[in-house]
Amino acid sequence: MTSVSSAARLDLDDAVFSENSDRVPFGFSHNLHGLMLFENEMLRSLSERYAAHPEDYFVCGSASSAGAVFYSVPKTPLKPHEALDQLEAGSYKILLKRLERHDGGFRDLLNTLFAQVKGQLQRNRFPDEAVRLESSVFISAPQATTPFHFDPEVNFFSQIEGEKIYHLYEPSVLAEDEVEPLYVRATTDIGQVDLARWDPSAEHVFRLQPGAGLHQPQDAPHWVETVGSRSISYTFVYETREGRMRSQVRSFNAYLRRLHFDPARPGERPTRDAIKAAAMAAAIPVRRQIGKAVRSVLRS
């Protein structure tokens, strides 16, 4: 095991990254499972520190099925370290969020890995300015299921211990009116969609072992299952300035749809997109102004 997070790496293929980044899921290899940060004693100590920060952890049981409503899965009042001690008995899943706030080693790891991704973005002339960057650890019991949903950020997901099966769709399978409601709330949350509507043959299925990872584009629907042993996974997510602007356009479009308009998709009318995004950036902090902002842009 190594304690030097600067030695950590994601093995990202230039051609695969260039062709698929934030559009199509793809796999990669990594060496994170060799870091001391993920040893049992380190994770136990970290989980105890999280007990005083309930806003930064989430502990729940397994979903009954992949198609379950996401927030129907019962939460537990257990603290992370308590759930860790009863992980298999309770079929628990533990999410430790924003690791970089709570541990200097994880902060260094995040900065190291994102520097690699940022280098790829720059080489491929993709937008590279991150407006939100966060990391998390998932600790899951065997035979646990996370139900179908999508997330408002780009994700690089690495398996550290055990096996995890990741069922992932491209974000293009979603219609705009399915994506827009998530962004109306202007909060970092999940989007709920109906798994029964989607063709399993369109899934990208990744059987993740330690040393394997995947890239999950923003808004890519997915569900996840563990198999016969405890699973530990590490992930970091980010929003770019362009991605946040796209989210603001979708928020604006949701209000247009309530007024029975059929708005253009983000990217189809860049000049109008900029106007919509600016209106929502100003109006969302004061929600009662949103309708006024939408009507103002329509008049213009």
Side-chain angles (χ1 to χ4, degrees):
M1 289 267 180
T2 177
S3 60
V4 183
S5 61
S6 59
R9 70 175 189 278
L10 308 181
D11 297 318
L12 302 171
D13 182 271
D14 284 344
V16 171
F17 190 100
S18 177
E19 182 177 355
N20 299 297
S21 178
D22 201 21
R23 191 177 62 84
V24 177
F26 61 83
F28 57 82
S29 60
H30 64 82
N31 69 347
L32 309 189
H33 55 305
L35 298 178
M36 289 179 63
L37 285 170
F38 297 106
E39 290 184 333
N40 283 333
E41 296 79 3
M42 300 289 281
L43 289 178
R44 169 73 192 199
S45 174
L46 180 66
S47 68
E48 290 176 350
R49 276 178 272 149
Y50 264 81
H53 302 279
E55 71 283 2
D56 280 348
Y57 71 80
F58 188 85
V59 181
C60 68
S62 172
S64 58
S65 70
V69 175
F70 191 90
Y71 285 120
S72 69
V73 179
K75 290 183 66 176
T76 171
L78 294 177
K79 302 289 194 296
H81 64 282
E82 296 170 337
L84 191 58
D85 291 340
Q86 306 172 48
L87 193 70
E88 293 194 27
S91 192
Y92 291 127
K93 298 184 299 176
I94 304 166
L95 169 60
L96 304 179
K97 301 187 286 186
R98 293 178 278 275
L99 297 165
E100 60 283 355
R101 292 185 180 179
H102 302 279
D103 187 276
F106 277 109
R107 182 168 57 250
D108 292 344
L109 177 61
L110 176 61
N111 291 336
T112 296
L113 297 180
F114 185 67
Q116 295 179 21
V117 170
K118 187 173 181 178
Q120 289 278 1
L121 292 169
Q122 290 172 333
R123 283 194 292 277
N124 290 284
R125 296 184 174 84
F126 292 145
D128 66 347
E129 185 177 1
V131 293
R132 181 169 63 88
L133 176 63
E134 298 175 355
S135 61
S136 301
V137 159
F138 295 88
I139 306 172
S140 303
Q143 310 296 336
T145 299
T146 299
F148 197 56
H149 67 286
F150 65 94
D151 301 312
E153 59 233 343
V154 181
N155 186 343
F156 284 84
F157 186 98
S158 297
Q159 189 66 9
I160 305 299
E161 179 188 307
E163 183 178 8
K164 182 166 280 187
I165 305 176
Y166 218 105
H167 304 258
L168 187 55
Y169 289 81
E170 297 173 21
S172 59
V173 303
L174 293 177
E176 283 297 304
D177 60 357
E178 293 176 296
V179 181
E180 290 164 358
L182 173 62
Y183 295 106
V184 168
R185 299 195 295 272
T187 58
T188 304
D189 202 351
I190 65 95
Q192 181 75 51
V193 283
D194 182 7
L195 176 60
R197 291 186 46 204
W198 306 116
D199 180 359
S201 68
E203 285 184 337
H204 298 255
V205 180
F206 297 86
R207 298 190 72 98
L208 299 178
Q209 303 280 352
L214 62 85
H215 166 65
Q216 178 179 295
Q218 182 171 345
D219 301 326
H222 59 281
W223 66 278
V224 187
E225 56 183 325
T226 59
V227 285
S229 63
R230 181 180 77 166
S231 169
I232 299 175
S233 311
Y234 170 82
T235 182
F236 67 92
V237 300
Y238 64 88
E239 287 182 272
T240 62
R241 189 167 298 279
E242 182 178 277
R244 180 161 292 182
M245 176 178 171
R246 187 166 60 243
S247 303
Q248 290 164 338
V249 171
R250 283 181 164 142
S251 179
F252 191 102
N253 284 349
Y255 286 95
L256 288 181
R257 216 173 286 281
R258 294 177 186 179
L259 297 172
H260 307 292
F261 288 88
D262 184 18
R265 296 174 63 95
E268 291 181 354
R269 301 181 67 181
T271 301
R272 180 58 66 88
D273 283 353
I275 295 170
K276 290 177 178 179
M280 296 313 290
I284 282 176
V286 186
R287 289 186 171 275
R288 63 181 177 274
Q289 298 296 324
I290 291 177
K292 180 179 178 181
V294 172
R295 290 190 293 273
S296 175
V297 172
L298 289 175
R299 286 195 297 270
S300 66

